[in-house]
Amino acid sequence: MKHLLKLLDWTSEDIMTVLNLADQLKYEQKHGISKKYLDGKSLGMIFEKASTRTRVSFEVGMFQLGGTALFLSSDKTQIGRGEPIQDTARVLSRYLDGIMIRTFEQKEVEDLAENGSIPIINGLTDLCHPCQVLADLMTIREYKGKLDGMKMCFIGDGNNMMNSLIVGALKTGMSISVACPEGYEPDQLVLDFAKEYGDKFEMLRSPKDAAKDADVVITDVWASMGQEQEAKKRAEAFTGYQINADVMNAAKSDAMVLHCLPAHREEEITAEVFEDHADEIFEEAENRLHAQKAVMVYLMGSTPIND
Ligand code: CP
Ligand code: NVA
């Protein structure tokens, strides 16, 4: 059974198939073509962290595809009271056709997949954010016409976003340069994977060096969910790791800017750069809906693709 636990598990072909399907679903929605690819199906959405985009886009996406989505907050279910994930997986597999989960540990997502018998979708863990990166790749291709040969730059924390962007970029033919302070590097699993791609991946300390000739410049918050206590220490460590006019001058003149949101203006990105690139950033947010509909159809549906 296919899941979306992390992009490392997906082939380049899986990714391209979903990106093509996402474009098709976006076209159909914009042209009033309504196809109920997931008629009668149910998606459980387990949230152990906050969310605006992920929750709303999955719920609306499922509705548009003819199915139903159930919001399962950890503090209102037995998960929050310690029921083992192994049991939760076996129970929910008997009611639902798929589960989206947002949580802390990647292991929880992997355990859900191992013990359940329905597709599991990672809606963000401390390790990665594959749904967001599928939407990011979709947006880059929409603006630039292709992914192969493009250069991505990520500035900031070696967090879930940086991890997934490195994998997503390399698997779709892009090169990627990241800039992060010492001690905030991406996960070792990702660094080992990136080694296979030679000079298509580079990890630097200087944001301007990383942004050199980039086609797309991306950042994320300095303190992710669960790191609120360390926010002050992290703000000091990330001083200078900001997308600003200087960094954009190093990138290509037509470089785009992406941010998964929520954004903290004047921290990881200046208000000026954010507003100059707001069209791209909010298209990226919209594309969460289309990309996730594609993921659900790919994993849970019986479209021509799966037939
Ligand atoms: N980008 C993203 O995942 O947003 P939410 O936290 O609002 O879901
Ligand atoms: N890195 C951020 C992403 C939010 C969508 C976090 O984990 O909080």
Side-chain angles (χ1 to χ4, degrees), residues 49 53-54 102 124-126 129 132 157 159-161 220-221 223-226 260-262 288:
K49 289 178 176 172
R53 280 145 288 270
T54 306
R102 166 170 287 198
L124 179 145
T125 57
D126 291 348
H129 198 359
Q132 178 68 53
D157 191 15
N159 62 10
N160 41 20
M161 278 306 300
D220 185 18
V221 291
S224 286
M225 288 180 275
C260 65
L261 305 174
R288 292 293 304 275

